[in-house]
Amino acid sequence: SCAARGRTRVGARAVHGATIAGAGHARGGVAMTPRRDVARSAAPVAMQDAENDVPRAAEEACEEDECAVRVVEEEFPRDEVERLQRVTLMGMFVSYCSAYFVRKPMSVVKKPMQDALGFSTGTVGLIDSAFLLTYALGQFVIPAIGDKVGAKKVIIVGGVVSFLCCVAFGYIALPYALMALWAINGLAQSASYPLHVKLLNPWFTSKERGTAMGIWATSQQVGATGATVLAAWLLAKVGWRLSIAIPAAFMLVTSVLLANMNLDPPWLQNTTYGEEALKNTKKGSPDVEPASAGIAFTEVLRIPRLKMLMVSYFFVKIVRYCLLFWLPYYLAKEFGMSVAIAGYLSCVYDLGGVLGGLSCGVIGDKFFQGRRPMLGAIFCAILTFAIGGYQTACGMGIWANALCMALIGFLVAGPDALLGSTAIADCCEQAGYGEEVLGTAAGIVNGMGSIGAVLQGTLTAYIAEKYGWGALFCTLAVLSALSVVSLLAATNSKFVESDQDEDEGIGATLVVA
């Protein structure tokens, strides 16, 4: 089977990464994620006698793979790999939870801060907007820096900067200074999500990735809830200023934790066979340049299917954040619920979201490997009808309301978690790219989604006020349907590189992974 491909992949950090990953996983040994950093050499490495050399080279490669797998399995037994995976996943979960402790308290202290400083509602809104704007735009730039200088370094620096901004926020009364501080905080946090995805990805195979990312993605709901509860409790004890500063200390703690974690899978650092493979590769083809030497932002943007994921995430984020921010207001205004009851009832939306993110990850691993956008399209198709029927459910009583709200939360959180992490990793790998572009690619897709989250505030207020809430829910249903179209486009075969056609066109090619 090795000879059938007509090409040889040699790993700089793990020999024939894809083969070892498959063999290790099948034997119950180490679960390795292949690094598919494809060389971008203009001229293919092909000899006139390739037909004779390739089968022999492939046979030798298979023997090297068997030896490599034995080396890895002896050094990293499966139970040790699973322990390291659990520890890393837990550490990254806590790390991203802390991101909400420098964002969410602001929503709790808005009213007392406004009263204390005499700000208008518009001024408070501008402070919020400063964060959202730099957060959205920063995702197009900062994650690319993480790809070049190290994802962990960028996350840690961003965490420290955000902590300092939150501490300083409580001691400044000038509105423009507060806007500037909150804008810096947004910029510092803009790379957090995509770079966490980048760091987690190599720890899991494609068969495990969806479940792992689904578990990790629930850190958003856990962190937001924890930060809100802590800030509300502190507000009654120490006032609004310290209610922003004290929760931010959790971010400083997790930055120290992250600095002391080894976030590179140790089985990808084994050089017993990696150095020899790299030596042989350079010797056999001195003109081949590793892809990791530098990939431009525009090249990442041209990765097949990435634009479709960007469009889909833009629509999904509008739907998710509109419901997240406006459901309590809608229930209180249209159905006469008290603010407290409306707030408690809207928590069902978040609970459904936790289950949706986990379920989408597990289902994707079992039935949609390499086809995760199709799963997202199915979720969004059902979501379209659920949103369309929500107003009717609201009129049928509180239990029908809660059930439909939980279903909507379930259906929107699944694609949200999928599009922000696993679908991007699959997209990069299927195009022949590896970890060297994942942070940039995740930043581009998440940045587009964040622009949708920013726009939803104005869009929601305008439609609801001018045309009514019925028109708003119809708009959300249409946006969900548009996400179905873009996700289906992302599954189109013309976006997926055909290795078979490439092999027939150029013969044997040496690819540096």
Side-chain angles (χ1 to χ4, degrees):
S1 61
C2 292
R5 298 285 295 175
R7 63 171 63 183
T8 304
R9 278 184 168 86
V10 182
R13 296 182 71 184
V15 176
H16 312 290
T19 306
I20 293 177
H25 187 78
R27 296 167 181 233
V30 62
M32 297 176 59
T33 299
R35 290 181 174 261
R36 304 180 61 189
D37 311 342
V38 181
R40 316 278 185 237
S41 179
V45 182
M47 303 297 181
Q48 293 181 350
D49 58 344
E51 293 183 358
N52 296 326
D53 290 347
V54 169
R56 184 171 60 253
E59 184 178 348
E60 293 174 356
C62 288
E63 293 176 358
E64 291 176 1
D65 289 343
E66 293 290 334
C67 179
V69 170
R70 286 196 298 270
V71 170
V72 173
E73 288 179 350
E74 289 174 2
E75 187 166 350
F76 302 104
R78 183 64 189 174
D79 57 347
E80 175 64 11
V81 169
E82 290 178 347
R83 185 190 69 81
L84 291 173
Q85 287 175 325
R86 287 193 299 269
V87 169
T88 303
L89 182 59
M90 184 183 301
M92 299 300 282
F93 185 97
V94 173
S95 175
Y96 198 68
C97 275
S98 69
Y100 285 85
F101 284 71
V102 296
R103 308 176 193 177
K104 193 67 174 174
M106 176 63 178
S107 64
V108 177
V109 305
K110 277 181 184 177
K111 187 63 171 64
M113 179 190 73
Q114 182 181 10
D115 295 340
L117 300 179
F119 290 165
S120 67
T121 302
T123 299
V124 176
L126 286 174
I127 295 173
D128 256 350
S129 297
F131 178 96
L132 293 172
L133 182 62
T134 56
Y135 182 82
L137 297 179
Q139 292 195 69
F140 292 97
V141 180
I142 309 299
I145 298 175
D147 279 338
K148 296 182 183 300
V149 305
K152 186 166 80 168
K153 292 178 182 177
V154 173
I155 293 174
I156 292 171
V157 170
V160 173
V161 170
S162 290
F163 166 74
L164 294 175
C165 286
C166 290
V167 172
F169 195 91
Y171 295 94
I172 295 176
L174 298 175
Y176 291 107
L178 292 176
M179 288 179 204
L181 273 177
W182 221 233
I184 294 171
N185 186 19
L187 191 65
Q189 286 299 299
S190 62
S192 186
Y193 190 98
L195 292 185
H196 274 79
V197 171
K198 174 185 175 70
L199 290 172
L200 265 178
N201 187 65
W203 285 87
F204 301 93
T205 67
S206 60
K207 295 181 180 180
E208 304 167 324
R209 181 183 299 151
T211 302
M213 290 296 185
I215 294 171
W216 173 77
T218 62
S219 62
Q220 299 176 85
Q221 287 86 3
V222 174
T225 302
T228 301
V229 171
L230 178 60
W233 181 81
L234 286 171
L235 187 60
K237 303 290 184 181
V238 296
W240 72 269
R241 298 179 188 275
L242 291 178
S243 295
I244 290 181
I246 293 176
F250 184 38
M251 169 61 81
L252 192 63
V253 172
T254 57
S255 295
V256 174
L257 170 69
L258 205 61
N260 289 280
M261 287 182 65
N262 179 16
L263 294 175
D264 290 321
W267 48 89
L268 292 182
Q269 302 174 37
N270 189 296
T271 57
T272 304
Y273 44 85
E275 291 179 356
E276 184 63 27
L278 183 59
K279 178 181 177 182
N280 292 338
T281 300
K282 291 178 179 178
K283 185 186 299 182
S285 178
D287 295 328
V288 174
E289 180 182 359
S292 56
I295 295 178
F297 180 89
T298 53
E299 183 178 348
V300 176
L301 196 59
R302 289 195 300 268
I303 292 176
R305 304 190 301 155
L306 196 66
K307 291 185 179 68
M308 291 297 100
L309 297 182
M310 292 168 60
V311 173
S312 302
Y313 211 25
F314 175 78
F315 293 138
V316 168
K317 280 290 190 182
I318 291 178
V319 174
R320 183 191 168 203
Y321 276 86
C322 174
L323 295 170
L324 182 67
F325 291 149
W326 290 91
L327 269 178
Y329 181 86
Y330 167 72
L331 294 173
K333 184 176 179 63
E334 294 297 306
F335 294 92
M337 295 184 184
S338 68
V339 175
I341 295 297
Y344 288 134
L345 183 59
S346 67
C347 290
V348 176
Y349 176 78
D350 289 323
L351 179 60
V354 172
L355 297 177
L358 290 172
S359 299
C360 194
V362 173
I363 295 171
D365 282 345
K366 289 186 178 295
F367 304 108
F368 290 88
Q369 288 184 41
R371 304 181 294 118
R372 297 181 208 270
M374 179 63 73
L375 176 61
I378 294 172
F379 268 63
C380 287
I382 303 173
L383 175 65
T384 301
F385 293 101
I387 292 175
Y390 178 64
Q391 276 192 303
T392 302
C394 288
M396 297 171 63
I398 192 168
W399 291 107
N401 189 335
L403 182 62
C404 190
M405 190 188 300
L407 177 63
I408 292 173
F410 179 92
L411 293 170
V412 75
D416 181 73
L418 183 149
L419 286 168
S421 55
T422 50
I424 302 170
D426 289 348
C427 178
C428 291
E429 287 185 0
Q430 289 168 358
Y433 294 85
E435 298 300 315
E436 81 284 359
V437 302
L438 185 54
T440 303
I444 293 172
V445 176
N446 280 276
M448 195 67 183
S450 294
I451 291 175
V454 173
L455 294 179
Q456 65 77 28
T458 303
L459 179 69
T460 301
Y462 175 77
I463 295 176
E465 184 175 357
K466 188 165 186 177
Y467 300 103
W469 290 96
L472 176 64
F473 284 109
C474 285
T475 302
L476 296 180
V478 170
L479 291 174
S480 181
L482 289 174
S483 69
V484 174
V485 175
S486 53
L487 282 165
L488 290 177
T491 65
N492 194 313
S493 59
K494 74 177 182 179
F495 292 112
V496 182
E497 180 185 35
S498 174
D499 286 340
Q500 183 177 356
D501 293 343
E502 183 184 0
D503 289 342
E504 290 175 356
I506 66 174
T509 304
L510 179 64
V511 183
V512 179

